[in-house]
Each structure stands twice: as structure tokens, then as C-alpha cells.
Amino acid sequence: MMDPIHNSSIGVLDSGSGGLTIWQALTEQLPFESITYVGDHAYLPYGAKTTAFITKRVYGVISFLQRHGAKLIVIACNTATVAGIDKYRKMFPDIPIVGVVPVIKTATQQSRTKCFAILSTELTAKSAYQKNLIREYANGFQVFNLYSNILVPLIESGKTEGLTMEVELGRALAPIKDSRADIVVLGCTHFPFIRGVCTKILGDDIQVLDSSGAVGRQVRRILERNNMLSPSHGHVYTFYTTGDAIAMTRLFSRLLQKSAKVDKIEL
Ligand code: DGL
């Protein structure tokens, strides 16, 4: 008989729809894996909340995913990761938990000018966690630690391009204008959805990096190491929201450019 763990899913959570950028990388790198996604839209954005509030919400979502057979959890949200990744691991010791943080080390390896920016939410930018990462990996680099709390709600309202987004993103990136920065690291999983506007504002000479590829590789490594990879080709993708299921079905389908039915859950 087959070990049931092989057939269970990867649980992915975010404050909202941003974790879909991680979902996309997982489906590309691990096409045989089933994925259960939860967007905590009823309590979005996390970036302007307290860490106590966020960790409580995340406990609830991880419990839900565990009850629904998740074999590994991806906290597909930088804000939720810096708010309490160690606490989640302590609270749920029996399940591997992968967090998402900005790819600061990669930026230091690729920057020719020794100057780059990180764009995240306010909570992430101001967190001791992120400041420690900068201290640890980017010693000797000039780092612009930028944030915006407006971009996530704009993306959630479907405005991933257009004048409002250009103005708000331009405002958030203004400090690096005329600087030596040659890389912008996206420190929020929502932001790859506005990569096009980023490039429009910054030009082609500034590289934009996100964490999705690295997270996909890390999930694969953990599943391989623990002999937890799915042996079968049939995968199931399930999407849940604590918000409005109809609106999210529309938004997810638009962001993923394929039909994605989202069901409502109360948590
Ligand atoms: N996608 C989340 C992140 O990576 C957004 C957090 C929020 O809701 O503000 O930080």
C-alpha cells in the first residue's frame, strides 16, 4: 500500500493573492505535486498589522492546511515569515515549514555597483529579521530598505498596471532615482505581479529579483530529502479564501491567466 504522505498536498498560504507567485513557481518546478492554497483576504493587508495579530492568523491557517492533509507548508508571504517563522515551526514541529524572505544574498552576488534596493511591506522592512539579513549578507553594500503599504491593496483590487500603480510604485522607488542601485529585490510575494511596471519605471539596466525560484528549489530539496515527493502524475490544485469567493475566483483567474475556482472558508 502506498504511504499516504506521498499523495498529500503542499499547503501554501499568504495574506491574499501574492502567494500565487510562489504557487506558479511550485507548479513549474514540481508539476506532480498537489497544492492547497489559502489567501487570508478577510484580514489583508498583513503589512500594516502587528506581529501578534499575524502569527495568530497564520496559526489558524496552518492548522486548516494540516487538517486538509498538507505534508509541507509554504508561508508564501514575506511579512508573515518575518513576523514569526520560528514560532510556526515550534508550534507545528511535525510538518516542514518553508518561509519566504527577499533574495538579499543573490543581490550581493549579482550587484556590480555594490548598491541595491529591497522593496517590501512596512512590517517586513522595519523587522529585526530583515535588518539582520542585511547586516549578515550585505555588509559593505549600500542597501535601500524601501516599503509601501499601498501596493498590496492595489494589486488585490486588480490594478496591477495603469496610472495609479505607476504613480504609487514610482513614489516607493523614488529614493533610488539617481543612485548607483543596479538591482531591486522584491520583498513581497505580491510584487512579481507588478514587475512590468517596475521595469517601465526603472528601465532595463536595473535588474528585478524575486524569491519564487529559490523557494521552489528549497521545497523540492526538502521533499526529496524526506522521501515525500509525489510519485503520481495526477495533481489537484485547490484554492481557498477567507474573503469573497466570487471576487477571488475572478482575481486568481486573471492573475494566473487560467481558470481557478476559489472557495470560501471561515477561519
Ligand atoms: N504577500 C505578502 C508579503 O509577501 C503581503 C503582505 C500584506 O498583506 O501586506 O509580504
Side-chain angles (χ1 to χ4, degrees), residues 14-15 18 44-47 76-79 121 124 152 187-190:
D14 180 42
S15 61
L44 172 125
Y46 280 179
C77 175
N78 295 254
T79 310
T121 64
T124 304
V152 168
C188 170
T189 54
H190 280 75

